[in-house]
Amino acid sequence: MKKRVNPVIQIIATLVTVFWALPVLWLVATSFKARTDIFVIPPKFIFKPTLANFRYTINRGLFWGPLWNSIFISVTSVLLAIVLTLFAAYAISRFRLKGSDMIMFMVLSLRMMPPAVVVIPMFLLYRLLGLTNTYTGMILLYTMFSIPFSLWMLKGFLDEIPQQFDDAALADGASYWQVLKDIIIPQLGPAFATVVIFNVIFVWNEFLFSYLLTGVKTRTMPVQIALGLYTDKGVDWEYISALSTIYITPVIAAVFFLQKQLLRGLTFGTIRR
């Protein structure tokens, strides 16, 4: 039997949601406006929608290359970070490693450091190694930034899985790899969903390093949106809005379809039995 929610709480939650979603709703609305409707004062809330902005961006091919770059770099770097941190998280969770607490703290400290602090050293290092304007350089960079969050999340999930499962499988002759593959990984679905979504959102929206370390070939969508629509007549806000709407749609759709796994992932371990 489902518990009834207080109507007052529902109304408040709806108002708060609409308030926080208002910039996104305004962006989407602007993408369907003609240029004359965008700059009119007072703003038009009722207008005749048009798809001309989307047709223009598609016909000019303004986003296919940058969109592919964003997808490829985001997915590859996040999956690589998960593969690397899964083994580390399992080792730290299951074995009494000397200095494991210090290792976890040092890894987390890397995530707490503002990215702007290392911009200049990273730019000089990448230029020295020839990694600027390369997929390899961007994937390695974002993998490094994704590792701390991935390690902490996966380690927390693994701590909640009883070690008796491992001991029983090992007693039956299974190897550690078989334990990880057949017992542990199938239980980490919510953890993987949480780690993937949060890391992809970070990489998907990252602008600073992408702006400095990419070129025309490897430019991602945030840089394309910021630099690709300036003309001698000013900024094409209608096309920027259309591109931005296209760009945020996959992330919003992924969060919507994975919301149950995300909720499970964010609350895993908060209720003790």
Side-chain angles (χ1 to χ4, degrees):
M1 182 177 179
K2 293 184 178 181
K3 184 178 178 180
R4 292 189 61 185
V5 180
N6 191 323
V8 177
I9 297 178
Q10 286 184 324
I11 294 173
I12 294 175
T14 302
L15 292 175
V16 171
T17 302
V18 171
F19 175 77
W20 286 107
L22 189 59
V24 177
L25 296 176
W26 189 259
L27 170 70
V28 175
T30 303
S31 67
F32 290 96
K33 288 183 178 180
R35 187 174 182 86
T36 53
D37 292 332
I38 294 176
F39 298 101
V40 67
I41 298 176
K44 276 189 176 181
F45 294 96
I46 300 177
F47 57 91
K48 183 180 180 180
T50 177
L51 296 176
N53 301 328
F54 293 94
R55 285 196 295 265
Y56 177 84
T57 56
I58 292 174
N59 292 335
R60 282 195 58 188
L62 294 175
F63 70 93
W64 291 114
L67 181 62
W68 161 250
N69 292 338
S70 293
I71 294 174
F72 177 69
I73 293 173
S74 300
V75 173
T76 306
S77 59
V78 171
L79 292 181
L80 183 58
I82 290 177
V83 171
L84 293 176
T85 54
L86 176 61
F87 298 102
Y90 182 77
I92 294 174
S93 175
R94 290 298 190 257
F95 305 107
R96 295 181 179 179
L97 301 177
K98 186 176 181 180
S100 59
D101 292 338
M102 180 60 66
I103 293 174
M104 294 297 292
F105 174 76
M106 292 177 63
V107 170
L108 183 62
S109 64
L110 294 175
R111 191 65 182 87
M112 294 187 295
M113 181 176 58
V117 174
V118 295
V119 165
I120 295 177
M122 289 301 296
F123 176 76
L124 296 176
L125 178 63
Y126 267 51
R127 189 173 65 175
L128 179 65
L129 297 177
L131 292 175
T132 56
N133 193 24
T134 63
Y135 291 113
T136 302
M138 299 309 298
I139 290 172
L140 291 176
L141 178 71
Y142 290 136
T143 300
M144 179 187 68
F145 281 121
S146 301
I147 281 176
F149 180 79
S150 303
L151 181 59
W152 273 86
M153 285 296 298
L154 292 177
K155 196 262 184 185
F157 272 84
L158 287 166
D159 288 342
E160 297 299 325
I161 298 176
Q163 191 167 354
Q164 287 83 351
F165 293 168
D166 305 43
D167 297 337
L170 292 171
D172 289 338
S175 64
Y176 282 109
W177 166 246
Q178 291 174 320
V179 171
L180 186 64
K181 177 173 64 75
D182 299 329
I183 298 176
I184 301 300
I185 291 180
Q187 301 184 64
L188 292 179
F192 290 143
T194 305
V195 170
V196 167
I197 288 296
F198 278 93
N199 281 331
V200 164
I201 289 176
F202 166 75
V203 179
W204 194 256
N205 295 324
E206 203 282 323
F207 174 80
L208 182 60
F209 286 99
S210 181
Y211 174 70
L212 293 174
L213 300 178
T214 62
V216 176
K217 184 183 73 170
T218 57
R219 177 181 293 176
T220 57
M221 275 290 282
V223 180
Q224 175 68 13
I225 292 172
L227 302 180
L229 292 168
Y230 285 88
T231 65
D232 55 350
K233 298 180 181 179
V235 182
D236 294 329
W237 292 110
E238 63 274 27
Y239 305 136
I240 288 179
S241 300
L243 272 179
S244 300
T245 300
I246 295 172
Y247 189 59
I248 65 175
T249 299
V251 175
I252 294 177
V255 172
F256 177 79
F257 287 111
L258 296 175
Q259 56 183 314
K260 291 184 178 180
Q261 288 82 355
L262 283 174
L263 180 61
R264 171 62 175 158
L266 293 175
T267 58
F268 193 89
T270 57
I271 300 176
R272 299 286 183 176
R273 295 183 179 180

